[in-house]
Amino acid sequence: VLFRSVPLPEMSRERRQEFVKTAHRLAEEGRVHVRNNRRDAIEQAKKAKLPEDEMKRLEKDIQTATDKAIADINTHLAHKEKDLLSV
């Protein structure tokens, strides 16, 4: 099968800005999901009635994982924004 490339016109600045806004919206939705998962995980840990020292350690681990996931989302967003705005 032979593929031919289809010439596409360059995106306008306005269209690029629309894509950036969409990327920001999706990133925020991702951050909200991560925070909701953190809340749910902490609630589950509380229901398990763990000893206080284990609970504190678990909450710290959950927060560390949450912070890493949000940082990853922010890194990907910055990279995507840069890609979209470069001509």
Side-chain angles (χ1 to χ4, degrees):
V1 177
L2 181 64
F3 292 101
R4 295 183 187 194
S5 63
V6 178
L8 296 174
E10 287 291 321
M11 283 193 291
S12 68
R13 180 161 178 76
E14 293 81 22
R15 187 72 175 137
R16 289 176 188 274
Q17 290 293 342
E18 288 175 31
F19 279 125
V20 168
K21 285 181 185 179
T22 300
H24 278 274
R25 181 180 52 79
L26 293 172
E28 181 57 29
E29 288 175 11
R31 289 188 289 263
V32 167
H33 285 295
V34 168
R35 289 191 291 266
N36 287 341
N37 287 336
R38 175 192 59 197
R39 182 197 64 225
D40 295 344
I42 290 174
E43 284 177 10
Q44 289 296 321
K46 286 180 181 178
K47 286 180 184 177
K49 300 191 191 274
L50 298 171
E52 189 173 335
D53 59 334
E54 276 189 54
M55 186 63 193
K56 292 234 183 259
R57 182 189 54 76
L58 187 57
E59 283 182 5
K60 182 180 176 194
D61 291 346
I62 292 169
Q63 186 61 47
T64 300
T66 300
D67 293 342
K68 182 186 179 324
I70 289 176
D72 289 346
I73 290 170
N74 291 338
T75 300
H76 289 297
L77 174 62
H79 179 71
K80 180 52 71 176
E81 186 173 2
K82 181 180 173 188
D83 282 351
L84 286 170
L85 294 178
S86 64
V87 176

